[in-house]
Amino acid sequence: MKRISLTQHLIEEQRLNNTIPASLRLLIEVVSRACKTISHAVGKGALGEVLGSAGSENVQGEVQKKLDIICNDYLLQANEWGGHLAAMASEEMETIHPIPNRYPMGEYLLLFDPLDGSSNIDVNVSIGTIFSVLKAPEGMTTPTEIDFLQAGTRQVAAGYAIYGPQTMLVLTTGNGVQAFTLDREMGSWVMTTNNAQIPEETKEFAINASNARHWHPPVKRYIDELLAGSTGPRGKDFNMRWVASMVADVHRILTRGGVFMYPADAREPDKPGKLRLMYEANPMAFLVEQAGGAATDGRGRIMDIQPEKLHQRVPVFLGSRSEVERVTSYHRQD
Ligand code: P6P
């Protein structure tokens, strides 16, 4: 079977389908190259002297791993000089990172979680890089945080790299979802899935069940029904998975269906869940919707949310459309 490379796919999207301009093609190529570098660093593990804590905390108050910082730097360095970006934002940086004056400023804003699931790094479980691309507002001269506060529907591209048994890049530019597997011998991304589709129905759900006693009633009702299986109102048995690496859980759902949930709960009533809107929920929601699935915060479409803060959190329910619609309807009835 003749497979095409990421480069050929992007050039065809630009030239044949006219869906992406050359500057966005360059941006995606640069990000994909940085993900290859990250894959190499992650793959070394202890041999690379890069495991363990960095002894610092990020803006989220989370302990940073050495690799969190290394991978953040890889993405900054790779994207600074190309002339395609105006600024970047990252889970690992409190404020935005404007392109240095010595480089030309481009028309895009890049947001990323450089190494999502980093609690899994030291135990050799799949982790990933998540990215989201927005256009800088017309007439913007000096980027500020406010320029990033755009709803998820304004994303022009989104994707993730997953560093697992295979290293893969999963991407959308608004024209379906394509997956590329890294051919390590050639150093190239090769398309292995074109137009990924999430099955409407599923028997698999993903949630951190250790938080069950803290869940709000709509989540508790929904999960209790799944656990009741064929003896309960759903009339069928369900299976559970929880990798605690959003990229790995979402990749499984994009591959074979399922529903992923990180709800708000009673532990911290003012905290709307754990996941961040701008560089985790929005890019994953774009991918999931482009693959025929759904993504809500329990009440409304995640991609319709008007952001107020760069690092704001949001409850996440995403995956197979029928299940997301069901759990969302339970919230609306609450
Ligand atoms: P918990 C990883 O730290 C992350 O941000 C997501 O990748 C993952 O889905 C979630 O947190 C896991 O959270 O509370 O189960 O450890």
Side-chain angles (χ1 to χ4, degrees), residues 305-325:
I305 295 172
Q306 174 53 48
E308 293 167 8
K309 291 200 182 81
L310 188 61
H311 298 292
Q312 76 184 62
R313 299 172 193 266
V314 65
V316 176
F317 301 83
L318 62 76
S320 293
R321 178 169 292 281
S322 68
E323 292 303 323
V324 174
E325 287 173 351

Side-chain angles (χ1 to χ4, degrees), residues 62 91 113 115-120 130 207-208 210-211 242-249 260-262 267 274-276 280:
E62 294 165 344
E91 178 187 89
D113 179 356
L115 206 55
D116 180 72
S118 48
S119 60
N120 286 315
I130 308 172
I207 194 167
N208 182 338
S210 70
N211 299 324
W242 187 250
V243 184
S245 179
M246 187 183 197
V247 171
D249 282 313
F260 171 95
M261 294 158 277
Y262 209 111
R267 282 178 291 176
K274 176 179 182 183
L275 301 176
R276 273 65 57 150
E280 289 174 328

Side-chain angles (χ1 to χ4, degrees), residues 94-161:
E94 182 156 6
T95 57
I96 67 166
H97 180 91
I99 296 303
N101 292 332
R102 64 182 179 280
Y103 297 124
M105 194 168 87
E107 60 184 311
Y108 294 108
L109 304 174
L110 177 65
L111 302 96
F112 48 82
D113 179 356
L115 206 55
D116 180 72
S118 48
S119 60
N120 286 315
I121 295 175
D122 300 345
V123 294
N124 198 19
V125 169
S126 297
I127 47 184
T129 299
I130 308 172
F131 65 92
S132 171
V133 184
L134 296 167
K135 284 207 72 171
E138 286 299 321
M140 181 197 75
T141 51
T142 308
T144 66
E145 187 169 305
I146 293 169
D147 297 312
F148 282 78
L149 301 184
Q150 301 178 39
T153 47
R154 302 193 48 88
Q155 293 174 100
V156 293
Y160 61 79

Side-chain angles (χ1 to χ4, degrees), residues 62-83:
E62 294 165 344
V63 172
Q64 289 178 305
K65 300 281 190 180
K66 287 178 194 165
L67 267 173
D68 282 326
I69 296 171
I70 292 167
C71 295
N72 195 66
D73 289 346
Y74 281 150
L75 281 159
L76 294 179
Q77 290 155 24
N79 280 286
E80 275 187 336
W81 47 268

